[in-house]
Amino acid sequence: MIKIAVYGKGGIGKSTTVSNVAAALADRGLKVMQIGCDPKADSTSCLHGGTKTATVLELVRGGGAFTLDDMVTIGCGGVICVEAGGPTPGLGCAGRGIIAALDKLKEKGAYEAYRPDIVFYDVLGDVVCGGFSMPMRQGYADKVFIVTSGENMAIHAAANIAVAVNNFRDRGYAGLGGLILNSRNVKNEREKVEELASDIESKIVGILPHSELVPMAEEQGKTVIEAYPESEMAGEYRRLAEELLNACGVKLC
């Protein structure tokens, strides 16, 4: 089981990227689990038609008994979808919510029951507090990848996340696998992200071009892989999926 945490600034296209990569790997016959660690609980939306699903924290707050299956939605290509959820707006700590949700998944034996080949943790990365760093911890992710563009705020957030990964390096936490450039067509974009990669002693593992097919697919509640499987953009996501696994030391046959 390969476990990958994907971080990035809010709105950078992280969830879209993870969902398309998950769908691409599912198309290759792998069993994939995607765990959304964002209070908005929309990480897996495009994998199941945009329908609302129960979050782990909603089930916990409900106070009643619930099963592992209640926490899971099966999406496009059989991707196992879980949304951690968050506290009631204005009440509670979202970071603590992630800790509670991941603990509950472990308690319910999610990994043993579904036996995924690959687990993705999709994590909001504007602020890396204790809760949001949970997926980096030993026993969760093996590698962390950061989604960024050439926009200044995205680069700033990516640099902060890289610092957090580096700070945890001596504790046996996940290592930094590299950067994913989700292009926004800003001036000198690739050069800026290459400079960031050099500064944090990492590399760019994949570059996604800007494509209008991405929002078009999302409007349908689908990934590009599902909505436009023969498109060039679907091919880009498939290539990125392979590069992420390569960075984890795995080659697809």
Side-chain angles (χ1 to χ4, degrees):
M1 183 166 58
I2 303 161
K3 294 176 283 186
I4 296 172
V6 181
Y7 283 77
K9 177 185 177 297
I12 198 60
K14 172 178 45 61
S15 297
T16 300
T17 299
V18 174
S19 294
N20 275 281
V21 167
L25 291 172
D27 273 357
R28 296 291 296 270
L30 296 171
K31 185 178 283 190
V32 184
M33 175 181 278
Q34 180 172 327
I35 302 173
C37 299
D38 187 321
K40 297 194 303 297
D42 59 357
S43 169
T44 64
S45 177
C46 288
L47 289 166
H48 46 76
T51 56
K52 179 173 173 52
T53 60
T55 72
V56 177
L57 287 185
E58 284 173 345
L59 293 168
V60 170
R61 285 198 299 267
F66 61 91
T67 68
L68 178 58
D69 287 344
D70 293 326
M71 302 161 67
V72 168
T73 300
I74 303 301
C76 169
V79 176
I80 304 154
C81 303
V82 179
E83 294 285 356
T88 302
L91 301 172
C93 169
R96 288 184 180 275
I98 292 172
I99 294 172
L102 294 185
D103 282 347
K104 187 60 68 174
L105 281 171
K106 184 174 283 190
E107 175 190 316
K108 296 285 187 181
Y111 307 113
E112 294 80 7
Y114 288 101
R115 299 180 64 84
D117 300 305
I118 302 164
V119 178
F120 286 104
Y121 300 95
D122 173 15
V123 195
L124 182 66
D126 290 89
V127 179
V128 187
C129 69
F132 286 96
S133 68
M134 182 77 169
M136 299 181 190
R137 298 183 185 184
Q138 193 170 25
Y140 289 97
D142 304 306
K143 290 286 185 184
V144 172
F145 295 90
I146 304 171
V147 180
T148 187
S149 68
E151 297 162 307
N152 290 339
M153 292 304 295
I155 287 177
H156 180 70
N160 283 341
I161 296 162
V163 168
V165 175
N166 185 60
N167 286 342
F168 292 138
R169 185 169 52 188
D170 295 334
R171 302 187 194 178
Y173 284 20
L176 181 58
L179 301 175
I180 301 166
L181 169 52
N182 191 29
S183 303
R184 296 291 178 87
N185 293 340
V186 301
K187 187 177 180 180
N188 299 323
E189 186 161 40
R190 180 162 182 165
E191 290 81 0
K192 289 180 178 179
V193 178
E194 286 176 342
E195 181 179 359
L196 170 64
S198 177
D199 289 344
I200 62 176
E201 299 180 348
S202 188
K203 61 185 177 180
I204 300 173
V205 295
I207 299 176
L208 294 170
H210 181 75
S211 172
E212 292 301 322
L213 291 184
V214 176
M216 288 169 60
E218 289 182 334
E219 286 177 6
Q220 301 171 52
K222 297 179 179 180
T223 61
V224 173
I225 297 293
E226 182 182 9
Y228 307 105
E230 305 303 320
S231 66
E232 289 185 14
M233 194 61 198
E236 296 288 350
Y237 283 121
R238 293 189 183 101
R239 279 188 284 277
L240 176 61
E242 293 198 21
E243 289 302 324
L244 293 182
L245 293 193
N246 287 345
C248 294
V250 177
K251 296 278 187 182
L252 286 178
C253 299

